Structures are given as structure tokens and as C-alpha cells.
Amino acid sequence: MVWTLFAVAVVLAVLLERIGSRRRTLQKRHVRLKALEQIRLLRLLLEQVQRHRGLCFGVMSGEHSLENQRWQVEAQVARTLEAVAVHQGSLFWYTAWHPVLPVWQQIAEQRAQNASAEAVLLLHHRMAEQLISTIEALAVRHDLVCLGALAPQPQGMWLELLKNTELLGRARAVGTGIAARRQNSALQHQELQRLREQINTQCYQPLARLCTEPLLRLSVDKPVRAAEDSLDSLLQAVDQLLESVDRPGLASNRYFSIATQAISATLAIVDLLLERLQAPGALAYK
């Protein structure tokens, strides 16, 4: 009788431990899915802020035909910030998030006060940096890059790709200003040249690594080729601007469109990898 009770107790203990483990696993997955939801929302906000930066710098550099697009993107940022406000309570714990809203307000104030195009550009840079830092902090806290390993895993490469969009976004903004002919200074050309070198060095490598991963090769092959082609087009457009110091190079609208295509192609892969992380079983580690 005693041994029977003991056996029953052991079985119950094992069952309760399994139930508890299952519950903890489900809870951890729920938390990670919530973090992914926040990351996707912040990634959208980052894309909009980057686009606003390019349009704003272009308009303030003399390309007024971009103003309608700039106004539309500004409205999109406002709507996305309203959606982000739902998560304000949890984002508060990330110090990188604290300056985001104040900087956006400063951008509006500086534009209203007719500040220099460079001053507004730097504020955009800061806002984009803070958004990326917030996203990275979320990813690290919830292990969405290394995925239980000691080093970043293939599906965790979304963060590296997202960071690379900031290089592309800055090149879009500076190049659009140069193309508008109002920011055609030696400093702007030097900055664009520096960005070109960074893009050439940094942006192709993660795309090539993705294509060597057996589990990802089929799903990323076409998006990667599209991203590489769009990077080629962007670098060619940058070279046109850099070679056209004393003559018309490339229309600012055209350059902005080429750069935007490169950013969108990279973000498409970011979204693909984030979607894979949201799939059932993708976060069932540790």
C-alpha cells in the first residue's frame, strides 16, 4: 500500500512538473510573440522616419515636388506613434525609447522655425538611432537574434539587415539633398562617398550568408537577388551624383525612388525572417 501511494505520488509529481514546464514554455512564447509584435511596429516606425528624413532633406534642399509625399509620410508617422502608444508601458523600461517622441517633436519645431536642413537631418539621424537601439534591446532581452545559441543565428540576421537600412536611409537622404542642388557641398559629397563605401562593405555580406543556409535558401533566394540588384542600382546612382559636381547628375525624385527600392528590398527580407520567428514552434527553444 505504501509503495503504491509512493508510486502514485511520483507519477503525479512528474505530471505536475510536465504541466508546469509546458505552461512556462507557453508563457515564454507568449512574451516573445509580444516582443515580436512590438519589434514589427517599431520597424514600421523606423521605415517611416527614414523615409520622412529623405523627403524632408530633399524639400529643405530645394526639391519642393517632394513636399506632398513628405506630408503623407508625416501623417503615417503620427498614426504609427498612436499604435505604439499602446505599448508605452513596456517600452518605458528601455532607455533608448525615452528620447524618441521628444526628438520627433523637435523635428517639427525646427522645421517650423526654418532651421537649417542639416540640423533637421541630424535630428532624424538621432531618432532613427534610438529606434534601432530600442529594437535591439528588445531583441536581446527576448533572445530573438542568437535564438538560444552563443552567436547570432541565420533567422536572427534580421537585426543586422535592419541596421543596414540605416546606411541606405542616410545615403538616400544625403543623395536626395545633393540631387536637389541646394546641399551640393564638398562635405555632403564626402559623406555620401563614406556611406557608399560602408554600403558596399556591409550590405552585401549578410545577403550572401543567408543564401548559404540550407533551411533558408529556398525562401530567401529571390528576395536576396532582388535586394542585391537594388543595391547595385543604388550604388550606380550614388556614383552618378558623385561624378556630377559641376553638372546635372540625377533628378532628386529619381534618386529617392532608387534608394527607396533598395531599402524596401532589404526590409522585405527582414519581414520574412521575423515572420519565420512567429511561426508555431519557431520559439520553442530553451
Side-chain angles (χ1 to χ4, degrees):
M1 183 66 179
V2 173
W3 288 108
T4 300
L5 291 175
F6 178 75
V8 171
V10 170
V11 171
L12 286 174
V14 171
L15 287 174
L16 289 174
E17 173 57 28
R18 288 184 177 179
I19 292 172
S21 176
R22 175 63 176 169
R23 185 176 298 167
R24 288 190 297 272
T25 299
L26 290 174
Q27 184 178 14
K28 185 177 289 188
R29 174 173 169 76
H30 174 75
V31 170
R32 283 172 169 159
L33 286 174
K34 191 69 174 179
L36 278 170
E37 178 187 351
Q38 294 172 346
I39 285 171
R40 291 171 71 88
L41 192 56
L42 293 176
R43 161 252 174 279
L44 175 61
L45 180 60
L46 174 65
E47 178 186 11
Q48 293 170 345
V49 169
Q50 290 171 331
R51 186 186 291 260
H52 187 268
R53 171 178 55 195
L55 293 167
C56 192
F57 195 62
V59 170
M60 297 183 76
S61 299
E63 186 54 76
H64 299 294
S65 66
L66 297 173
E67 173 58 25
N68 186 52
Q69 289 186 64
R70 188 210 63 78
W71 181 86
Q72 291 176 356
V73 174
E74 185 177 273
Q76 291 172 357
V77 172
R79 288 194 295 270
T80 303
L81 285 172
E82 290 179 1
V84 172
V86 176
H87 304 277
Q88 186 68 29
S90 57
L91 290 175
F92 173 81
W93 299 103
Y94 300 93
T95 55
W97 171 253
H98 296 173
V100 171
L101 292 177
V103 171
W104 179 246
Q105 293 169 355
Q106 288 177 45
I107 289 171
E109 292 168 359
Q110 290 291 302
R111 290 190 66 257
Q113 295 169 9
N114 294 318
S116 68
E118 293 90 341
V120 176
L121 180 68
L122 291 175
L123 285 172
H124 279 95
H125 287 350
R126 186 185 175 202
M127 186 172 180
E129 288 169 355
Q130 296 300 132
L131 283 170
I132 290 174
S133 294
T134 304
I135 292 170
E136 183 171 15
L138 270 163
V140 170
R141 180 175 181 180
H142 297 282
D143 192 18
L144 296 170
V145 175
C146 292
L147 305 176
L150 297 177
Q153 298 301 292
Q155 289 185 169
M157 287 174 61
W158 63 268
L159 181 60
E160 183 179 358
L161 292 168
L162 188 67
K163 289 180 178 180
N164 284 345
T165 67
E166 180 57 9
L167 290 176
L168 303 176
R170 292 190 180 200
R172 174 174 59 185
V174 175
T176 301
I178 290 175
R181 310 300 290 174
R182 295 283 184 85
Q183 299 295 330
N184 209 22
S185 67
L187 286 177
Q188 294 295 337
H189 276 259
Q190 290 171 12
E191 174 66 5
L192 188 58
Q193 178 63 52
R194 184 185 66 82
L195 288 166
R196 188 210 185 284
E197 293 170 358
Q198 285 187 281
I199 290 169
N200 190 49
T201 301
Q202 295 179 217
C203 293
Y204 287 94
Q205 290 182 359
L207 297 175
R209 292 203 305 273
L210 279 173
C211 285
T212 64
E213 295 297 331
L215 296 178
L216 293 175
R217 188 182 298 120
L218 290 178
S219 59
V220 303
D221 181 55
K222 288 184 179 179
V224 163
R225 281 192 281 111
E228 289 174 338
D229 289 345
S230 65
L231 285 175
D232 292 344
S233 297
L234 173 58
L235 293 184
Q236 290 171 9
V238 168
D239 289 340
Q240 279 186 261
L241 290 183
L242 293 174
E243 293 167 0
S244 60
V245 178
D246 300 319
R247 57 185 173 80
L250 196 65
S252 54
N253 281 296
R254 176 59 181 156
Y255 177 84
F256 184 88
S257 176
I258 292 171
T260 298
Q261 186 174 1
I263 296 170
S264 297
T266 301
L267 286 174
I269 302 174
V270 171
D271 290 340
L272 186 153
L273 295 176
L274 288 174
E275 285 172 8
R276 287 180 68 95
L277 287 178
Q278 286 184 298
L283 299 179
Y285 50 84
K286 295 200 328 185

